[in-house]
Amino acid sequence: MFEIQDPNSIQLNSEGQLKHFITTEGLSKALLTEIIETADSFADMSAQQVKKVPLLRGKTVVNLFFESSTRTLSTFELAAKRLSADVLNLNISTSSTSKGETLKDTLQTLEAMHSDMFVVRHSDSGAAHFIAEHVTPNVAVINAGDGRHAHPTQAMLDMLTIKRHKGDFSPLIVAIVGDILHSRVARSQIHALRTLGAAEIRVIAPTTLLPKNIEALGVKVFTNMQAGLKDADVVIMLRLQKERMQSALLPSESEFYKLFGLTNEKLQHAKPDAVVMHPGPINRGVEIESAVADGPKSLILDQVTNGIAVRMAVMSMSMSGQMTEKNLKSEAQ
Amino acid sequence: MVTGTLSVESLLDKMVSELKTLLIHRQIDDPLIIGIRTGGIWIAERLHTALALESPIGMLDISFYRDDFSQIGLHPKVQASQIPCATEGRDIVLVDDVIMSGRTIRAALNELFDYGRPSSVTLVTLLDLQRRELPIQADVYGSTMSLSPNQQVKLSGPDPLELEISQKD
């Protein structure tokens, strides 16, 4: 684990613009809205025959994945390519003992290749923050998931998906269901939803999969699925993080499905026009019934599409923030 | 030194008549009008009405195509471009309020071509400030104007459309 200081001291430049994207925590409503709106205009680009803009032309983006991921890596890669950047994908196993030093060595090697942006995924909380602290100036760092800490682009693509289907956040009841304890996605979603002013944020999970003091984040806690889903506008299912389960926190997957798996029957308790989301990959028959995942209320594939747009938005905004800072510094000299 | 506002109605009349003549000369009977956000769209709407065209108006936001991203960064309020029908093989009338360096039009042409290969592009602007940095010229313009370096001109609208000339801060 790395220590995490005040995130905004590192992710914003002196003008208050994004220069790294490490976490949704502490970012202003205006900035989160700007990310959503910028992403929204990138999403509409799909009408173009050539689905590419020249914003990051000549820039090199390195996807630095210390933890495997198919959909996050491929959407980041596609996002960078649609911004006309050159992209390098690196999958690095985390077998080493002195992680901090190894990271620094890896960074120096990549910086020598004149990279302009690192997209980092790591199993340790705080890894992206650590890298942002140690990169050379004018290199942007985007967090693509760090341990249990944050997965801000996933949270923002979920916000874009909600915005595109529900419009305004203020009347919404949003229920997040499943393995909250191990979920960096849930944490980032809760921060974003609170800042964007959702009326009520609920977490629904068995006690063993809830972090201590989760109420401090401003959420209502439910251990009964039916009660928690009552009148919800948005239901976000989380993946059961089997690879993160260190001990027997669950009696069995089938028991979990019986109590917390999303079925059409349980979904009856939510509002009639409720939408269902899931960050993927889904465990069918563990968190969610296939009939729901493939049903008319499911936005799971919209989320993937919106993921590209959100990643294009934070990449271009962070690069823009870095360049603004660079120009301000050279003016001051 | 000139400051103040200027009505654009007479300029628009002149542009409509010149554009009509030009389209006939070029044998274009169903052009697709595309305005560049924001002022260009207002002018495009007026031309669209005056020419009684059937194809809806397209709107272009060139923020993602600007050539000064590394100098000034991303424009904070980017709106999506809306091109309502296929541009492939169409005769485009591209409209902006002011042409100065020509860089906006360069960006607009690049974006336009990402939607498909138009048959032709005719450029119409309300004002030509005659300070070109690129070899791009308007086919039809309302008026030329020479401003001193510390003056700027801005179109306000959409109703009424007015040109305002002011001192830079």
Side-chain angles (χ1 to χ4, degrees):
Chain A
M1 285 262 202
F2 300 94
E3 266 193 56
I4 300 165
Q5 315 288 334
D6 168 29
N8 281 345
S9 63
I10 197 149
Q11 60 183 354
L12 301 183
N13 68 14
S14 58
E15 302 282 290
Q17 301 162 331
L18 211 58
K19 63 168 182 169
H20 300 296
F21 190 45
I22 309 298
T23 174
T24 52
E25 186 180 358
L27 289 183
S28 68
K29 187 176 181 180
L31 200 50
L32 294 186
T33 308
E34 190 186 329
I35 294 173
I36 293 174
E37 284 173 355
T38 307
D40 215 7
S41 42
F42 280 127
D44 289 328
M45 229 178 70
S46 55
Q48 292 183 202
Q49 261 185 18
V50 180
K51 294 172 184 43
K52 238 171 151 68
V53 292
L55 279 180
L56 297 192
R57 202 163 152 255
K59 304 283 182 203
T60 303
V61 174
V62 179
N63 286 321
L64 203 51
F65 277 52
F66 296 90
E67 191 183 67
S68 67
S69 149
T70 307
R71 97 179 48 200
T72 306
L73 177 62
S74 50
T75 49
F76 262 113
E77 180 178 357
L78 212 46
K81 286 180 171 167
R82 290 198 176 163
L83 292 168
S84 307
D86 297 314
V87 189
L88 185 63
N89 290 332
L90 290 178
N91 285 298
I92 301 165
S93 71
T94 44
S95 54
S96 144
T97 45
S98 58
K99 284 168 186 155
E101 283 309 296
T102 309
L103 259 179
K104 274 189 197 166
D105 285 342
T106 310
L107 271 183
Q108 283 175 352
T109 310
L110 292 168
E111 281 167 359
M113 301 178 193
H114 301 291
S115 310
D116 299 286
M117 183 182 296
F118 293 124
V119 176
V120 182
R121 188 182 186 101
H122 201 289
S123 56
D124 284 348
S125 301
H129 192 277
F130 175 87
I131 290 177
E133 277 178 327
H134 290 88
V135 284
T136 46
N138 311 318
V139 174
V141 177
I142 311 281
N143 186 2
D146 63 327
R148 295 187 191 182
H149 172 239
H151 194 351
T153 56
Q154 175 70 45
M156 291 314 292
L157 76 86
D158 293 333
M159 298 308 116
L160 174 63
T161 309
I162 295 173
K163 171 90 188 310
R164 282 174 87 96
H165 284 87
K166 295 285 176 191
D168 186 13
F169 284 89
S170 62
L172 298 182
I173 297 177
V174 182
I176 305 171
V177 189
D179 182 3
I180 313 286
L181 179 66
H182 298 90
S183 178
R184 54 196 176 200
V185 175
R187 244 166 273 265
S188 290
Q189 284 168 340
I190 292 167
H191 289 303
L193 284 166
R194 267 191 76 183
T195 307
L196 290 166
E200 194 174 309
I201 308 162
R202 300 174 181 171
V203 295
I204 309 174
T207 340
T208 48
L209 292 181
L210 282 167
K212 282 176 196 154
N213 296 325
I214 180 84
E215 293 90 345
L217 292 179
V219 298
K220 282 196 181 173
V221 177
F222 291 83
T223 50
N224 178 290
M225 181 87 162
Q226 282 80 354
L229 287 182
K230 190 169 171 9
D231 296 330
D233 298 282
V234 178
V235 182
I236 302 176
M237 300 304 296
L238 298 174
R239 190 167 67 92
L240 213 50
Q241 309 259 323
K242 290 183 210 168
E243 68 273 25
R244 282 187 231 282
M245 293 283 182
Q246 285 158 349
S247 54
L249 297 170
L250 284 176
S252 72
E253 283 180 6
S254 62
E255 181 76 8
F256 180 84
Y257 182 64
K258 207 173 116 195
L259 294 172
F260 296 97
L262 188 64
T263 57
N264 269 324
E265 194 192 338
K266 288 186 195 131
L267 197 52
Q268 298 292 322
H269 296 271
K271 288 223 180 93
D273 62 347
V275 293
V276 175
M277 295 168 35
H278 190 300
I282 53 178
N283 297 314
R284 288 169 187 268
V286 179
E287 309 112 14
I288 191 164
E289 182 180 48
S290 277
V292 177
D294 307 326
K297 295 182 174 191
S298 167
L299 302 180
I300 296 173
L301 294 177
D302 293 45
Q303 287 174 272
V304 180
T305 313
N306 290 339
I308 300 171
V310 156
R311 284 161 185 145
M312 288 173 77
V314 296
M315 284 172 143
S316 46
M317 286 170 68
S318 305
M319 207 67 246
S320 169
Q322 289 288 352
M323 290 187 299
T324 305
E325 187 174 74
K326 184 182 175 186
N327 293 336
L328 287 174
K329 277 192 182 147
S330 65
E331 272 171 32
Q333 275 165 6
Chain B
M1 207 173 281
V2 194
T3 54
T5 59
L6 193 70
S7 165
V8 303
E9 295 306 324
S10 56
L11 300 182
L12 274 170
D13 290 344
K14 170 180 176 271
M15 289 159 69
V16 168
S17 122
E18 285 185 19
L19 180 59
K20 270 183 185 165
T21 311
L22 185 64
L23 292 178
I24 292 168
H25 177 70
R26 291 187 174 173
Q27 296 179 319
I28 296 170
D29 49 14
D30 183 23
L32 177 61
I33 293 208
I34 294 178
I36 298 172
R37 214 178 293 277
T38 307
I41 294 173
W42 298 334
I43 305 291
E45 279 165 350
R46 300 291 294 269
L47 296 177
H48 188 263
T49 312
L51 296 175
L53 296 175
E54 280 177 22
S55 298
I57 285 188
M59 305 178 198
L60 219 47
D61 189 313
I62 56 124
S63 304
F64 295 145
Y65 288 79
R66 296 177 65 102
D67 61 5
D68 52 7
F69 179 64
S70 49
Q71 279 87 45
I72 62 168
L74 191 62
H75 193 279
K77 288 269 181 285
V78 182
Q79 286 174 286
S81 294
Q82 291 165 2
I83 307 296
C85 41
T87 56
E88 185 81 27
R90 293 294 300 270
D91 294 297
I92 310 283
V93 173
L94 184 62
V95 185
D96 205 359
D97 47 1
V98 173
I99 182 167
M100 191 167 83
S101 66
R103 288 176 193 269
T104 299
I105 305 301
R106 198 281 310 167
L109 287 171
N110 277 22
E111 175 162 7
L112 201 53
F113 275 68
D114 281 351
Y115 281 87
R117 180 180 185 274
S119 174
S120 70
V121 181
T122 301
L123 180 60
V124 180
T125 68
L126 181 65
L127 279 189
D128 182 345
L129 297 186
Q130 299 180 305
R131 224 182 284 160
R132 214 74 82 237
E133 292 163 10
L134 297 174
I136 292 174
Q137 311 303 338
D139 298 293
V140 171
Y141 55 87
S143 174
T144 57
M145 190 180 275
S146 296
L147 295 179
S148 63
N150 62 345
Q151 281 184 313
Q152 58 185 8
V153 62
K154 192 174 167 18
L155 182 69
S156 63
D159 196 27
L161 279 176
E162 267 177 355
L163 280 168
E164 193 178 336
I165 300 160
S166 60
Q167 301 292 322
K168 277 188 197 169
D169 305 328

